[in-house]
Amino acid sequence: MTEISGSDFRHPLRHVRLDTILRLRWLAALGQLSAIFIVAHGLEFDVAIIPCVAIVGLSALVNLALQIAFNPMQRLEPVYAAALLALNIVELAALLFLTGGLQNPFSFLFLAPVLISATALPIRLTIALGVLAVACASALVFFHLPLPWDSDDPLVLPPIYLFGVWLSILVAIGVTSLYAFQVTEESRKLSDALAATELVLTREQHLTQIDGLAAAAAHELGTPLSTIFLISRELEKTVDGNEQLAGDLKTLREQAQRCREILAKITQLSSSGAPFDRMPLSTLIEETVAPHRDFGVAIKVRLAVAATREPVGARNPAVLYGVGNILENAVDFARTTVEVNAWWNADTVEMIISDDGPGIAPAMLKRIGEPYLSRRRSTDEDQSARAGLGLGIFIARTLLERTGAKVSFTNRTFPDHGAVVQIVWPRERFEADDTSADDASWNGSRDAE
């Protein structure tokens, strides 16, 4: 089976475009200016307009300098993106200091930079920004100018209420940031796993095409090589007295025979002379079982012959990889025996792969097939590094379901032990000649993601 390294798809550094952060900063600056002038002129409250506008103007100057000095489309290193978000927090804290501290209802905007970081930056930087936001909010509890309000009826909030506001900001930063990070991480894992699935399918398609082309070429070349062999043998009989020419003809005949033998081995890739792009169920099972017969585990194959003819499907790389990967996992975890049972009728084609290993843990059984989930036992550093990937089962299940199969994972009933994987196709999907519809549906599902 094709090995996929998780490092090929999982990106430890997450880069945000400068333009994205600048747009958010411009939006914040415009919102802050609007709030200042609405409060000062619309509500006629006493606001420190000049210091507030100076802070917003400084933020705008930073934005202009960044737009002029750098290409807005470039992707920032995480630490630089975090620095700009930290600047947003400090600017907001300065504005809140001038306008009432945590008494100001806009104090909840401390949440915005941390939430953005949770969806786009590494967790360590998100924690640092969260700590900065909490520190600023804590300082504003004790140090701030009065809240702009009607001088004839000043608003005085009790300390217990301010403590509640501070605590709500703290909880909101922690809970929403953790939630956003978890959702984004799950989405990223799924995206990486689907990318791995597409790469595996592409590789398997290339290998299958090579198999088919080699077998077809061997089949086509067999006839001219037979002709060369026969003519060279007949010419040997007509050459008398010319030992050099006879030797050359003998060499030609022997080399032609050698080519025929090589091509005979290649033609074994096909299913007993059947068209190279079609294969019966028994051949599918044999092709997936053959690479695992010499690993010290007995593989028993049983076909339940039905009244209907054996189903013959396309040589689909998705099916070959999916079944092969599930079988490989069964061999890895089996103690002595793996069983492959298959049967069919006029409506369905079913395959059951089971082993006598420890089975699937109940907690994992509910999540089996998710990307980056694994029950593989690691025995060295390399296996330990890959133990958390779990891409194999996800890719196998995704590819098989793409072909119309339903894949289910269970354990054997006690006192027996071992995992059981059931793969069921509608017969018409298994025997379908054209996989373009599957390709279209696959591409559509990828676009939907």
Side-chain angles (χ1 to χ4, degrees):
M1 296 298 103
T2 306
E3 292 292 338
I4 297 294
S5 171
S7 60
D8 295 338
F9 304 98
R10 306 192 74 185
H11 310 291
L13 294 180
R14 306 168 190 174
H15 301 284
V16 183
R17 286 191 308 175
L18 175 61
D19 182 66
T20 301
I21 293 184
L22 288 180
R23 287 175 182 270
L24 295 173
R25 286 179 56 81
W26 280 119
L27 181 62
L30 291 176
Q32 290 161 359
L33 281 178
S34 300
I36 291 170
F37 284 102
I38 289 175
V39 172
H41 298 286
L43 302 178
E44 297 183 351
F45 288 164
D46 186 16
V47 182
I49 297 180
I50 294 178
C52 290
V53 172
I55 293 173
V56 177
L58 179 62
S59 175
L61 287 176
V62 172
N63 291 353
L64 287 174
L66 291 174
Q67 283 187 321
I68 294 173
F70 303 98
N71 180 4
M73 293 298 106
Q74 80 175 54
R75 295 191 176 274
L76 298 174
E77 292 292 326
V79 64
Y80 298 133
L84 289 177
L85 292 175
L87 182 59
N88 289 351
I89 294 175
V90 173
E91 291 170 352
L92 178 61
L95 287 173
L96 291 176
F97 170 79
L98 298 171
T99 57
L102 294 190
Q103 299 179 48
N104 192 318
F106 291 102
S107 59
F108 279 94
L109 289 177
F110 276 126
L111 176 63
V114 184
L115 191 59
I116 294 171
S117 175
T119 61
L121 300 181
I123 186 64
R124 57 183 178 82
L125 295 178
T126 300
I127 293 175
L129 289 174
V131 170
L132 176 62
V134 171
C136 291
S138 301
L140 290 173
V141 174
F142 306 100
F143 307 103
H144 61 82
L145 296 182
L147 177 70
W149 203 256
D150 188 354
S151 58
D152 296 333
D153 185 19
L155 178 66
V156 179
L157 297 175
I160 189 65
Y161 179 83
L162 293 179
F163 174 77
V165 172
W166 173 84
L167 184 61
S168 64
I169 292 175
L170 175 64
V171 173
I173 288 175
V175 173
T176 58
S177 299
L178 179 61
Y179 179 79
F181 175 81
Q182 190 69 24
V183 171
T184 304
E185 188 68 13
E186 290 295 327
S187 176
R188 187 178 292 110
K189 286 181 179 180
L190 181 60
S191 177
D192 292 343
L194 289 174
T197 304
E198 289 185 333
L199 179 58
V200 166
L201 182 58
T202 301
R203 290 179 179 177
E204 293 298 317
Q205 284 175 334
H206 286 317
L207 292 175
T208 300
Q209 290 169 359
I210 291 173
D211 281 355
L213 288 174
H219 181 75
E220 294 297 328
L221 290 173
T223 300
L225 281 173
S226 297
T227 303
I228 294 173
F229 177 80
L230 291 174
I231 293 177
S232 61
R233 188 173 61 182
E234 293 300 323
L235 287 175
E236 279 187 79
K237 298 178 181 178
T238 62
V239 176
D240 294 326
N242 192 337
E243 296 182 357
Q244 182 177 358
L245 180 58
D248 292 340
L249 289 172
K250 181 180 179 182
T251 301
L252 178 62
R253 176 175 57 80
E254 291 174 349
Q255 294 303 313
Q257 178 61 26
R258 183 182 177 189
C259 289
R260 292 176 65 191
E261 293 173 355
I262 294 173
L263 292 178
K265 296 179 181 179
I266 296 178
T267 55
Q268 293 176 1
L269 293 172
S270 65
S271 53
S272 303
F276 302 113
D277 60 343
R278 308 288 295 172
M279 59 192 312
L281 180 62
S282 57
T283 303
L284 163 65
I285 294 175
E286 181 57 33
E287 285 201 14
T288 54
V289 166
H292 306 289
R293 289 194 182 277
D294 299 325
F295 287 89
V297 175
I299 302 179
K300 299 179 180 179
V301 178
R302 297 186 181 93
L303 297 178
V305 179
T308 58
R309 62 175 178 80
E310 182 179 0
V312 178
R315 184 181 289 273
N316 193 330
V319 175
L320 290 171
Y321 180 89
V323 175
N325 190 280
I326 291 174
L327 182 64
E328 181 180 4
N329 274 273
V331 171
D332 286 346
F333 288 97
R335 294 174 179 172
T336 59
T337 306
V338 171
E339 295 182 2
V340 181
N341 299 308
W343 67 275
W344 61 88
N345 58 26
D347 300 319
T348 61
V349 177
E350 181 174 342
M351 185 185 306
I352 298 178
I353 300 174
S354 58
D355 61 70
D356 60 351
I360 305 172
M364 187 171 292
L365 191 60
K366 298 178 181 179
R367 302 178 57 198
I368 196 75
E370 291 184 12
Y372 303 101
L373 175 71
S374 179
R375 64 191 181 106
R376 186 180 301 276
R377 297 183 296 264
S378 58
T379 56
D380 53 42
E381 293 183 359
D382 181 62
Q383 287 181 342
S384 178
R386 294 182 297 173
L389 290 176
L391 279 176
I393 292 296
F394 172 83
I395 293 173
R397 186 172 193 169
T398 301
L399 293 180
L400 288 172
E401 289 179 347
R402 177 195 171 193
T403 67
K406 291 184 178 180
V407 185
S408 59
F409 298 83
T410 58
N411 286 322
R412 289 182 171 180
T413 305
F414 185 82
D416 294 333
H417 51 81
V420 179
V421 182
Q422 183 183 40
I423 310 170
V424 182
W425 289 270
R427 181 160 181 151
E428 60 181 10
R429 289 295 300 273
F430 184 84
E431 294 186 319
D433 293 324
D434 187 8
T435 59
S436 59
D438 293 332
D439 294 334
S441 64
W442 171 257
N443 294 330
S445 65
R446 288 286 293 131
D447 295 339
E449 295 291 341

